[in-house]
Amino acid sequence: MKIQARFRFFFQVDIPTIYTDRAKLGRLLPRGVTKVVAMKLDTKAMRHLAAEDWRVLTAVEIGSKNHEIIPTPLIESISKLRGGANRVHKSISALAKVGLIARLKEAKYDGYRLTYGGLDYLALHTYASRKEVYSVGNRIGVGKESDILVVADDRGAQKVLKIHRLGRISFRTVKANRDYLRKRQGGSWMYLSRLAAEKEFAFMRALRDEGFPVPEPISQSRHTVLMELVDAFPLRQISEVPDPAALYAELISMILRLARHGLIHGDFNEFNILIKEETKSNKEPSSEKGKEVETAEEKEEKLTITPILIDFPQMVSMDHQNAEMYFDRDVNCVKRFFERRFHFVSTQPGPFFKDAKKTVGKDGAKRLDAAVEASGFSKKALKDLEAAIREQQEARGGQASLGEGGDGESTDEDEDDDEDGEDNGDSEEDSLSGEENNNSKADKSEISTKVLSINDET
């Protein structure tokens, strides 16, 4: 019996193909799906940016480390273009027009700030230079702090690009006297989003090396992580599984295995567990008749389901001061979901943190919390990121609490609140393109699947 998905949004579209016929596109959608949100990232402008424009955009990024609004003279100084101030101002105008930088309307001096669109372009530019990403497809997932896109390299191999956006909810609620912002008031959202990406990539690589079922991490740049595309469905979309007890036991076993390696996922729920269907090798038929016709029971025995774990920015050590709370919350999330969705209740109590704590490092298990710290992700970075995630959860009234959905889907209204009150030169809206905000309110069934090469003229 195959698992059934309630909403099959995670369909794959052949990236090198441009679909302009809505009737043809409709046949690509799984049954029951009539609307799909168009992707947010618009890369049309990338092919039109000159080398000087990239230098100016990079200069704005460098200036953001110490300035919220980067003074124009500083941009000129950092970029060091041969054409001098005139050439810099020309590039600034071009970048502002497409929403990659923005001017604050009531700033005390003439200057610009880097937008999320600008940071997206810089990350994509880096991947293109590494020949890791050639084209950008649809957005296949969106959460409170991230966007998930399908991308492809120059050979057409599909991958997943996760873009962290910790400023999406609103950093206006984050107080300037917080420890993790005390020395980084200018680039807080960039700093924290980059920390989230670096932490996720580090843990994915460590977990993958130890044989955990996680997507293969490929590369990381700024606030983004490039990873393997897994053909699977989120557990929250699954309405039926062949054996709920076996799946429950496998998930609890994964929590305990993480604990042996010194880790707690911190967001172990139906939003961050993918279910992958796999088929076993064919059984030898018992008769000539069996070679021609397989029974339904034989077909059912071929199906296996494998849970894949995703989303690691909130992962903590078993030595964390609140480790017991995080551990118990992960366990209870699984218990509640299985009782609600599959009407399954385990007859065994626990597992309990005190018992899991005794297994840390046992049987030759490598302490991955120590390994990630040794790789260069410092305790200070972990503290900064944890404080930011906690602050954002409090800002939205606990909607992102682990028991209530984690990094679930959001609507088009969940846009970057930081963009209010800014001027982009010739553009009235601070978005990737002037058309984006207009199109976002249009009929969502009009799906954009245009493939845009991102390394032409870069």
Side-chain angles (χ1 to χ4, degrees):
M1 177 174 56
K2 286 196 173 185
I3 56 178
Q4 299 173 355
R6 291 186 171 187
F7 304 100
R8 292 179 177 262
F9 284 117
F10 284 73
F11 64 97
Q12 294 185 20
V13 177
D14 185 16
I15 289 189
T17 305
I18 299 177
Y19 290 95
T20 57
D21 188 336
R22 185 176 178 183
K24 291 181 181 179
L25 182 60
R27 291 198 293 270
L28 293 173
L29 299 179
R31 183 175 300 175
V33 177
T34 59
K35 293 184 178 181
V36 179
V37 179
M39 64 181 180
K40 294 284 184 175
L41 181 58
D42 186 350
T43 60
K44 288 195 297 286
M46 289 195 71
R47 65 184 66 191
H48 302 299
L49 296 182
E52 292 83 359
D53 299 331
W54 287 110
R55 290 191 64 174
V56 171
L57 187 60
T58 302
V60 176
E61 180 189 29
I62 294 173
S64 297
K65 295 179 180 179
N66 298 309
H67 297 79
E68 181 177 0
I69 305 297
I70 301 89
T72 302
L74 180 60
I75 299 175
E76 297 172 3
S77 175
I78 297 175
S79 58
K80 297 180 179 179
L81 295 186
R82 290 184 178 180
N86 290 336
R87 185 62 186 88
V88 171
H89 282 278
K90 183 178 179 180
S91 291
I92 286 176
S93 178
L95 296 172
K97 187 174 182 178
V98 294
L100 305 185
I101 60 176
R103 176 189 290 169
L104 201 63
K105 290 181 178 179
E106 299 180 358
K108 296 180 180 180
Y109 54 86
D110 183 49
Y112 293 83
R113 62 175 287 274
L114 185 66
T115 67
Y116 258 130
L119 198 60
D120 293 346
Y121 267 44
L122 286 168
L124 288 173
H125 187 60
T126 298
Y127 288 128
S129 65
R130 297 173 184 168
K131 300 187 181 302
E132 294 171 333
V133 174
Y134 178 79
S135 57
V136 177
N138 277 349
R139 187 180 67 179
I140 60 173
V142 57
K144 295 295 184 183
E145 285 96 17
S146 64
D147 287 329
I148 314 295
L149 303 173
V150 173
V151 298
D153 58 23
D154 55 0
R155 298 183 301 276
Q158 294 187 7
K159 306 172 185 178
V160 164
L161 181 67
K162 181 173 183 180
I163 306 176
H164 288 270
R165 304 194 189 281
L166 286 183
R168 186 200 295 278
I169 299 304
S170 181
F171 264 104
R172 296 173 192 158
T173 60
V174 179
K175 303 298 187 295
N177 62 351
R178 297 285 183 179
D179 289 341
Y180 59 92
L181 292 179
R182 194 167 286 167
K183 296 181 181 180
R184 285 191 163 271
Q185 296 179 7
S188 60
W189 57 269
M190 283 193 297
Y191 169 63
L192 296 168
S193 295
R194 177 177 59 81
L195 285 185
E198 290 177 351
K199 180 180 180 183
E200 178 155 48
F201 185 76
F203 275 115
M204 285 180 69
R205 188 164 53 185
L207 291 169
R208 182 82 177 188
D209 290 344
E210 288 298 315
F212 279 87
V214 301
E216 179 184 1
I218 298 172
S219 188
Q220 185 261 327
S221 175
R222 296 174 173 84
H223 64 318
T224 67
V225 177
L226 187 65
M227 66 186 79
E228 167 194 13
L229 174 63
V230 179
D231 184 13
F233 293 102
L235 181 58
R236 64 185 173 84
Q237 294 179 359
I238 305 300
S239 61
E240 183 179 356
V241 295
D243 189 349
L247 180 59
Y248 172 85
E250 191 168 359
L251 294 178
I252 294 298
S253 176
M254 192 184 301
I255 292 176
L256 294 175
R257 184 184 173 194
L258 286 170
R260 284 198 300 273
H261 288 273
L263 295 175
I264 302 172
H265 185 272
D267 204 358
F268 200 94
N269 57 48
E270 65 271 21
F271 289 85
N272 296 322
I273 300 168
L274 304 180
I275 300 299
K276 182 178 180 180
E277 290 183 348
E278 295 177 313
T279 55
K280 297 179 181 178
S281 59
N282 292 333
K283 294 175 62 177
E284 290 294 331
S286 57
S287 65
E288 290 296 325
K289 184 178 179 180
K291 293 181 180 180
E292 299 176 358
V293 181
E294 292 180 345
T295 65
E297 182 179 357
E298 286 175 333
K299 290 182 179 180
E300 183 176 320
E301 288 177 350
K302 294 178 185 178
L303 179 67
T304 61
I305 58 176
T306 303
I308 307 295
L309 191 59
I310 61 172
D311 197 31
F312 307 100
Q314 66 291 317
M315 185 167 272
V316 298
S317 169
M318 284 288 286
D319 295 331
H320 189 277
Q321 59 181 355
N322 297 321
E324 185 172 3
M325 182 270 291
Y326 288 123
F327 181 88
D328 291 343
R329 188 162 63 178
D330 280 357
V331 171
N332 290 331
C333 278
V334 176
K335 288 178 176 289
R336 282 196 300 268
F337 177 78
F338 271 74
E339 181 178 3
R340 183 177 70 250
R341 178 64 56 83
F342 305 126
H343 308 292
F344 171 82
V345 179
S346 175
T347 58
Q348 297 182 354
F352 301 105
F353 175 78
K354 62 179 182 180
D355 298 323
K357 181 71 173 178
K358 298 176 183 177
T359 68
V360 176
K362 299 295 184 181
D363 300 326
K366 182 180 179 181
R367 288 291 299 260
L368 296 183
D369 51 346
V372 169
E373 182 180 341
S375 70
F377 201 90
S378 65
K379 288 184 178 179
K380 179 183 181 303
L382 288 169
K383 181 180 178 181
D384 289 352
L385 184 58
E386 179 189 340
I389 292 175
R390 182 174 63 249
E391 183 75 25
Q392 290 230 306
Q393 290 175 350
E394 294 172 357
R396 61 174 179 264
Q399 290 181 8
S401 65
L402 302 182
E404 297 179 8
D407 194 22
E409 288 187 356
S410 67
T411 62
D412 278 352
E413 284 72 27
D414 282 329
E415 285 304 301
D416 186 358
D417 291 334
D418 287 343
E419 310 302 327
D420 294 342
E422 295 173 350
D423 182 15
N424 290 337
D426 297 333
S427 176
E428 294 182 357
E429 302 291 337
D430 189 14
S431 62
L432 290 177
S433 70
E435 299 175 359
E436 180 66 21
N437 284 311
N438 294 331
N439 292 341
S440 65
K441 297 181 181 179
D443 185 357
K444 294 179 185 178
S445 62
E446 295 287 351
I447 306 171
S448 172
T449 56
K450 291 184 178 180
V451 181
L452 303 165
S453 172
I454 63 173
N455 58 357
D456 290 345
E457 301 181 16
T458 58

